Amino acid sequence: MDVMNNNTLIEKKSTTCAEKRANTTFEDKETKRLKTDNDHVDIAPRPPPQSPKKRLQLNGKPKHNKDLNFVYGNYKNYYGKRILDKEFHDIRLDILGSQPEMFRQKQLLDIGCNSGHLSIQIARKFGVKSLVGLDIDRSLVKDAQTTINQLKGQTDTGAGHGFPHNIRFVQGNYVLEDDVLLEIERPQFDVILCLSVTKWIHLNFCDAGLKQAFRRIYHQLRPGGKLILEPQSIDGYKRRKKLSKNEIKKNLRSVRLARFP
């Protein structure tokens, strides 16, 4: 009985497989063939679950040209790394100090003030009435304002005796979006400082931007007011043409107010 049963089972199985083969369509065969052909492909193991931030970093950080951060000359360590309790001295202070009466009890604007070290020293050394520092870089303005707040705190405790309180730093582009905005300018400063800034205005906003900046200075100065200008040499223009891929290079070719050797 056992043998007969086994034979019967084998026969049933064989019949069943034959029926399945007969009922297999061409598409089923083609699918099996494709699966067989792909059996040799090595499939990379899936990485373990990771946060979105880590997944973005799997291929490494993209290369970044640090110079592109400073297309306006807004270098982070322009004055070097200094601590507030150390004496800061800029040789330009010696030149400005030859005419201290130009600043005493006067209202000043410092265009392109960077982190504000020189602006603060001018205010302290020459007893200005007020000073506004302007820079296009928000982080530098924040650093300058933090320094001011610390120094004012020292004044309140007696450590910074004689420090002028009417000093503030603001973020903004001195070059206006449209010349029509010059019509609302009014005289408000006795002295305007523009130290090592004209090259960056020129490279980024071309001749038109530089001309507009000088017109704005003229409108903002009171009668008898002074512009203290520190221009940059022509050689420095070409050294900065790689700061912003094609933009600075393109602007440099369009400049007509400066002559290049």
Side-chain angles (χ1 to χ4, degrees):
M1 290 291 294
D2 293 339
V3 174
M4 291 178 63
N5 289 339
N6 288 339
N7 291 338
T8 303
L9 289 173
I10 293 171
E11 184 179 351
K12 285 183 178 180
K13 287 181 180 179
S14 302
T15 304
T16 302
C17 291
E19 290 176 353
K20 286 184 178 180
R21 287 195 297 270
N23 294 330
T24 301
T25 63
F26 174 78
E27 291 182 358
D28 293 332
K29 292 180 180 180
E30 185 67 16
T31 302
K32 289 182 179 180
R33 186 184 68 78
L34 292 175
K35 286 183 178 179
T36 304
D37 292 342
N38 292 332
D39 285 343
H40 69 280
V41 178
D42 295 330
I43 301 175
R46 297 183 64 180
Q50 291 177 315
S51 67
K53 183 178 179 181
K54 287 186 177 180
R55 288 203 303 272
L56 289 174
Q57 296 174 349
L58 286 177
N59 295 326
K61 295 182 179 180
K63 292 183 179 180
H64 179 65
N65 184 355
K66 294 182 179 180
D67 285 340
L68 296 182
N69 294 331
F70 312 119
V71 294
Y72 301 107
N74 48 320
Y75 296 105
K76 302 298 180 183
N77 294 317
Y78 180 75
Y79 294 109
K81 295 180 180 179
R82 294 181 171 86
I83 304 174
L84 288 178
D85 59 356
K86 288 185 178 180
E87 186 66 23
F88 166 75
H89 182 76
D90 191 307
I91 192 172
R92 290 174 291 188
L93 287 171
D94 299 333
I95 299 172
L96 299 177
S98 62
Q99 300 186 52
E101 67 283 354
M102 188 185 301
F103 308 100
R104 192 169 293 115
Q105 289 303 304
K106 299 295 175 61
Q107 293 181 291
L108 277 64
L109 169 66
D110 186 6
I111 303 170
C113 63
N114 200 269
S115 55
H117 287 286
L118 184 60
S119 310
I120 294 170
Q121 287 302 314
I122 289 173
R124 299 181 75 173
K125 188 177 180 68
F126 304 122
V128 305
K129 183 178 181 180
S130 68
L131 186 145
V132 177
L134 174 74
D135 201 276
I136 199 169
D137 190 312
R138 192 178 300 276
S139 64
L140 289 174
V141 169
K142 183 179 179 181
D143 291 343
Q145 194 59 49
T146 298
T147 301
I148 282 294
N149 294 338
Q150 292 181 18
L151 290 171
K152 286 180 178 179
Q154 294 176 10
T155 302
D156 295 337
T157 60
H161 178 68
F163 183 77
H165 280 258
N166 200 8
I167 300 177
R168 63 190 178 96
F169 294 94
V170 295
Q171 186 272 333
N173 186 355
Y174 195 72
V175 178
L176 302 170
E177 292 184 4
D178 196 295
D179 286 354
V180 72
L181 295 173
L182 291 171
E183 297 177 8
I184 63 175
E185 293 291 351
R186 59 183 178 81
Q188 55 183 312
F189 299 108
D190 301 301
V191 178
I192 293 181
L193 300 165
C194 187
L195 308 178
S196 294
V197 175
T198 52
K199 175 181 72 176
W200 301 109
I201 294 176
H202 213 176
L203 287 176
N204 285 279
F205 305 103
C206 306
D207 292 349
L210 188 60
K211 290 178 181 179
Q212 188 211 84
F214 281 121
R215 287 200 299 271
R216 190 179 183 190
I217 289 171
Y218 176 80
H219 286 301
Q220 288 186 329
L221 280 172
R222 293 192 175 100
K226 303 289 192 300
L227 165 64
I228 300 177
L229 177 68
E230 180 189 15
Q232 289 121 308
S233 67
I234 296 300
D235 293 340
Y237 279 65
K238 288 190 174 182
R239 289 199 299 269
R240 298 294 179 263
K241 66 182 180 181
K242 295 182 180 180
L243 283 178
S244 179
K245 293 185 177 179
N246 299 322
E247 192 65 26
I248 295 294
K249 188 182 295 185
K250 176 183 174 183
N251 292 347
L252 187 61
R253 287 197 297 266
S254 70
V255 165
R256 294 293 178 267
L257 292 179
R259 294 184 178 179
F260 297 99

